[in-house]
Amino acid sequence: MTPNGGILTPLIKQNCQILRNYLEAGGYAAARKALAMAPDEIISEVTKSNLRGLGGAGFPTGRKWSFIPKNSPKPKYLVINADESEPGTFKDRYIIVHATHALLEGIIIAAKAIEAHAAYIYIRGEYVEPARVLQAAIDEAYKNGILGRKVLGTDYELNVYVHRGAGAYICGEETALLESLEGKKGWPRMKPPFPAIEGLFRCPTIVNNVETISYVPAILANGGEWFAQLGSERNGGYRFYSVSGHVNKPGVYELPHGTTLREILYTHAGGIRNGKQLKAVIPGGSSSPVLRPEEIDVRMDVDSLAAIGSMIGSAGVIAIDEDTCLLEVLEVTSRFYHHESCGQCTPCREGTGWLEKVLARMHRGDGNRQDPDRLWDIATGIMGNTICPLGDAAAMPVFGFVKKFREEFEAHAQYGKCHTGAFTSWQPPARPGA
Amino acid sequence: MPNITIDGKTVEVEPGTTVIQAAEKLGIELPRYCYHPGLSIVGQCRICLVEIEKMPKPQVACYTPVTDGMVVHTQSEKALRARKDVLEMLLVNHPLDCPVCDQAGECWLQEYYMRIGQYDSKMIEDKVKKNKALDLGPHVMLDQERCILCTRCVRFCDEISKSHELGIFNRGDHAELAPHPGKRLDNLYSVNTVDICPVGALTEKDFRFEARVWYLEATNSICPGCSTGCNIAVHTNTERTHHAQGRRVVRLKPRYNPEVNQWWMCDLGRYSFKSADDPSRLTVPMLRQGEQWIETSWEVAIEAVAQKIKSTAADRVGLWASPQLTNEDLFVLKKFAGRLGLTRVAAALAPLEKPVSDNFLIKEDHNPNTRGLGLAGFPVETKASADLLQQAADGKLAVLLIFSHDLSQSFAADAVTSALAKVPTVIFIGPNRNATSAAAHFILPAAAWPELDGTFTNFAERVQRLRRAVAPLGDARPVWQIVKLLGKPLGVILPYLESEDVFAALARENSAFAGMSYATIGDLGHQRGEEAAAVKARRLNQVPDKLRIIPIFG
């Protein structure tokens, strides 16, 4: 599946949801090492590794941990974001189910780094099986003295709790996640204060993604510099790419940062299915702006994608072949964001629904020439004006599709028909008065 | 202290001040829906977006704290565009039913549309439909479609009334305001949610469809409902008498006073205006002949009552003052009683049932001026009232003047009836007919509180002004004027022309009111013992009226 072995892939192959297998693979040695280290030493090692948040935001992990106030009298919390809900993204699920103990070991190390004695894993409600596997691994860890009052035989206490969400995309946004974890409606909080200062139960809290934390044991075991060298300039190590859509081999691929999109699609995912042409590709989950086929030589990392107006996000690559109506793709995407908008702030609450309505109208053939501009305007009204990034997530695909495939939207608006396949040979029907 | 520059103007503010508060200090108005100074800040309506230098995105002015050297632009292209976009979003699913909306004329969607909107609608899709006329509680009606989900009402119920009735349910543009299952908006402060609703979502059942707001006039006054003395505005409708079933006073709204009631008032006080236009109002002097009441003129009534008093020894004349009277009334009445040598005087009554009270605004004393009564030299202990009733029952009184009280609210009805039957001349002076007035021989109609200029002294000894919102009904007059009329034939000359003259005399002659005047009291009251310099400073620091009176601004 993965060239060069990868970091977590070997563990996944060894079924490290089972403690015995993980121990045989050298598991929990890094945690033992970390428990003997000072918190600052751990943070320093992670900072050196250039590990950046792999949930979507890409914030440097070591730096994030360093924001936890040292002298706060309040308890500190570690929260693992396992609410993987971005369409096109399914790598955390894979890690949770097959490298469960790597995640737990990462939790022990991160908790020690920020001096937290309680960690919560907030897992997406629909992830029934992963939640079951996770709980079984935690139970096994408690039974073997890996978690609890004396973590791995030391005086460090750490308790880990699994909290299942109730099925809201917004609860993957870190502050909405915290609200939900506190038993409240999953509405995002205004920032500042950031969670590192005032997070769960108004106490200092670090929220990290599953994949991010799962890489931490490897960093402690092999050193931050080793990890940094594996990646690209400012992105240490590997990451998981979830590849879906019209490819021959959809799946999860652990590859170095900076692997090109072309290589992911054509080398690892087997190219476009049925020998079709690639029409478009979404590089980082459904919220990231779409790319045209001529752009797929881009390196898949935060900076390279930003340079061409898109984003790596959660690295959920969605390939779209030549037979697909892009207006329909955008409509489905917008329907998702409309459905998942929490309704707290005005632009997202009202704008996401409006976007979907315009696209649905165009899709059923009632579009007009102003519609592409109308979509652009509505997205502009949402973008940057909301409390949390969900509004931006809804607006960015609109910008991407309308900008890069405008001719397709104009054709829909003008002729009320889809522009797929051999559009150039297709003639619009005569209209009365035309 | 951080300095901030907003639209080229610089101001120094307290640390922790937000941009919207700093802008207010400069007199710069920023639109707002969810922001209310009395509630927590949530930043969710997004209409107060401004451009702040060095920040890439527009920021909400309500939540962003000022930092030293911050430069804010409220009128830049970026800021105006952001606010215009948000307003457009707010109107996407808002019904365009302004002509029938009860909030028309004081709706901030309308206001801001005219100020920062004014675009041709791009919306040609169907709007989301939600419930109309949802009965939330005894006083409040909800139109879910009109709600812009600013959550002011939700936060009010969570943070101020602490009754937690309301919530936002569902998601996206299907999100809607509603009561929690099994709950109703039924707390003692429920109508404040209507006051702070910036659009026409929450409306007051009593006022709903009764009058258009642009026909109303607002007069600053004081709630007479209890000894807190909440600052209020009396909204009156005098030009369209066919509206509101002819009611002149159509509603009361709380008025901001940081020292007394902040932005709020209770529902009990809010409906205290009903008596002003009630059919029980007394509008002409009357005297009883047998079982018949004969309407008469002030001259005849005053002459007749004065003759009764004149022909009676002072120790056989009883007088029942009231904590419902203004300081001016009490001052004149005290002079009257003193000059005539009246000694059988009572004032305060204990109600038969324990009044509603709480530890927020509602005091157990449901009279507005018990403190003023005491400062004027009247007995405030209720024993004096029991003694006076006993003296009446014992036949020791030949004349009894009763101001405002309905004695049957405090004593057993039989005891009141038999006691008053022993008094040859009972004179009732008050605004409304009641069981006590029915037992009187003379009725002198007094003006109701919305018809008065005067002052009340609240439980904390803060003297506050009532202003006349409507003219007295019929021939009714303020009590101090009735007493003045009555004094003349009795040789008690009370040389006052206006209530302000009375208060000026009160301030001269009663040390409790020394240094006070209508000017020092102003709109926010004068705390007893407050230095003149402090009063002046407070007046100078007042938030501009526009920002204080209009409900959306608090």
Side-chain angles (χ1 to χ4, degrees), chain B residues 323-390:
Chain B
Q324 297 280 332
L325 302 182
T326 63
N327 290 320
E328 289 77 356
D329 294 336
L330 292 166
F331 173 72
V332 171
L333 191 55
K334 184 67 182 169
K335 268 186 179 295
F336 175 83
R339 298 263 184 91
L340 293 178
L342 307 184
T343 53
R344 298 187 188 276
V345 174
L349 288 170
L352 287 173
E353 289 181 20
K354 189 176 164 63
V356 175
S357 65
D358 61 20
N359 56 7
F360 182 33
L361 291 180
I362 308 170
K363 295 284 178 285
E364 191 171 320
D365 178 6
H366 280 204
N367 293 295
N369 203 25
T370 302
R371 201 71 200 96
L373 195 75
L375 294 174
F378 285 97
V380 292
E381 62 280 11
T382 55
K383 184 176 177 301
S385 288
D387 290 349
L388 190 60
L389 191 71
Q390 189 59 49

Side-chain angles (χ1 to χ4, degrees), chain B residues 33 121 149 155 223 236 271 322 383 417 440 483 497 519 528 532:
Chain B
Y33 292 115
S121 176
L149 301 164
R155 282 175 283 147
C223 174
T236 54
Y271 296 111
S322 165
K383 184 176 177 301
T417 308
V483 175
L497 294 175
R528 255 195 79 198

Side-chain angles (χ1 to χ4, degrees), chain A residues 168 185 190 192 338-341 344-346 349-350 353-354 357 361 374 378 381 385-387 392, chain B residues 42 44-46 49 57 60 63 85 89-90 92-93 122-126 148-149 168 170-173:
Chain A
K185 182 170 182 166
M190 296 281 291
H338 174 206
H339 185 264
E340 296 300 329
S341 166
Q344 186 183 14
C345 70
T346 307
R349 182 182 69 235
E350 306 295 344
W354 193 6
K357 284 177 184 173
R361 180 169 51 72
R374 194 189 320 267
I378 298 169
N385 289 341
T386 52
I387 291 177
D392 293 356
Chain B
V42 291
Q44 60 195 45
C45 79
R46 319 300 287 178
L49 287 167
K57 293 177 179 179
V60 282
Y63 188 82
D85 283 340
M89 298 293 182
L90 281 165
V92 161
N93 286 307
K122 295 197 293 279
M123 172 82 178
I124 53 177
E125 287 73 30
D126 293 337
I148 58 165
L149 301 164
I168 305 292
N170 221 322
R171 299 195 303 211
D173 53 13

Side-chain angles (χ1 to χ4, degrees), chain A residues 379-391:
Chain A
T380 304
I382 302 171
M383 188 77 192
N385 289 341
T386 52
I387 291 177
C388 83
L390 197 152

Side-chain angles (χ1 to χ4, degrees), chain A residues 169-193:
Chain A
Y169 171 73
I170 187 60
C171 290
E173 194 279 334
E174 63 176 358
T175 59
L177 184 154
L178 295 175
E179 288 283 294
S180 175
L181 195 51
E182 289 180 8
K184 293 181 272 183
K185 182 170 182 166
W187 273 11
R189 293 177 185 169
M190 296 281 291
K191 290 190 272 193

